[in-house]
Amino acid sequence: MKSEMEANILKVLITEEELHRRVAEMGEELYRRFEGKNPLFLGVLKGSFVFMADLVRACQVKSDVEFIAVSSYQNATASSGRVQITHDLQQDITGRHLIIVEDILDSGNTLAFLRQYFLTKGAASITIVTLLDKPSRRTKAISADLSGFTVPDEFVVGYGLDYAQQYRNVPYIGVLKPEVYTHG
Ligand code: IMP
Ligand code: MG
């Protein structure tokens, strides 16, 4: 049965099975890199929440989790360039090995801003992990240390990623039909 949301999806880019297989590999890779280092998984809300939940369970290393919320889009499909912290860190990160968990690395504005912010807060090291990478749209000199999938220059939704706060609960990564953007 097609859900109300699925009717608006033009195509599936990454299936649930592909997501789970890749996230498992990423968890194992992070285990190898961070065993014995007590890293702090730092999710960038809201988009990373589904990926974060799967990634931390795929990486059974002694660690803890933290979140920061930022916004830069204001319901459009292109970054406004300004990054605002809407929910700040709730703990001291001085001396911590951070694993920043992002949904997608697009222009790079968000992560360029956050990397600088976390350095000024005294992080010992910063590792950028992104589920998706859209390198064709990069305007900032920033790259992921670990990336799940490279995606083409198309606006994607699902597995945490939204369009106007919707579609985060779609279990795969898909592309919306063009008329959805024009008619809301
Ligand atoms: P950047 O600052 O341009 O790199 O954008 C990063 C943020 O923009 C991500 O964390 C997402 O929340 C959002 N974003 C960028 N591209 C997409 C997309 O294709 N679909 C949904 N959200 C996106
Ligand atoms: Mg978003």
Side-chain angles (χ1 to χ4, degrees):
M1 198 191 72
K2 263 198 168 182
S3 71
E4 188 186 352
M5 284 180 297
E6 272 181 311
N8 288 335
I9 306 252
L10 178 69
K11 62 180 175 195
V12 178
L13 270 191
I14 308 168
T15 66
E16 271 188 87
E17 198 194 345
E18 288 168 329
L19 285 167
H20 290 143
R21 206 178 318 131
R22 182 67 185 125
V23 173
E25 282 174 5
M26 294 171 87
E28 283 162 25
E29 175 61 31
L30 291 173
Y31 186 91
R32 284 190 287 275
R33 293 193 201 179
F34 287 95
E35 195 183 357
K37 288 191 173 159
N38 188 28
L40 177 64
F41 284 91
L42 210 170
V44 183
L45 294 172
K46 300 175 189 168
S48 73
F49 81 108
V50 177
F51 175 44
M52 177 89 161
D54 284 345
L55 186 67
V56 296
R57 284 177 295 175
C59 183
Q60 293 290 313
V61 73
K62 181 177 178 284
S63 59
D64 51 323
V65 304
E66 176 61 298
F67 292 95
I68 191 163
V70 296
S71 85
S72 69
Y73 268 55
Q74 271 92 42
N75 293 354
T77 56
S79 175
S80 64
R82 273 185 312 255
V83 180
Q84 251 184 314
I85 296 177
T86 55
H87 171 82
D88 209 342
L89 299 171
Q90 301 294 303
Q91 69 183 86
D92 182 11
I93 61 165
T94 309
R96 295 300 305 269
H97 294 289
L98 302 187
I99 302 175
I100 304 182
V101 181
E102 251 287 32
D103 54 354
I104 185 165
L105 179 50
D106 188 32
S107 69
N109 280 328
T110 307
L111 282 176
F113 170 85
L114 285 178
R115 183 176 56 184
Q116 199 48 47
Y117 182 67
F118 296 143
L119 284 173
T120 65
K121 294 272 179 191
S125 72
I126 295 179
T127 297
I128 294 176
V129 178
T130 189
L131 177 71
L132 307 176
D133 190 3
K134 230 190 245 182
S136 57
R137 304 212 345 138
R138 199 83 84 250
T139 58
K140 291 276 159 61
I142 194 153
S143 58
D145 298 290
L146 183 60
S147 147
F149 302 88
T150 300
V151 291
D153 185 8
E154 285 182 286
F155 196 79
V156 297
V157 298
Y159 199 69
L161 289 97
D162 72 304
Y163 170 62
Q165 301 302 327
Q166 290 184 50
Y167 305 99
R168 295 193 195 276
N169 55 342
V170 168
Y172 50 81
I173 299 288
V175 178
L176 293 175
K177 292 178 180 167
E179 59 263 31
V180 178
Y181 302 117
T182 43
H183 299 123

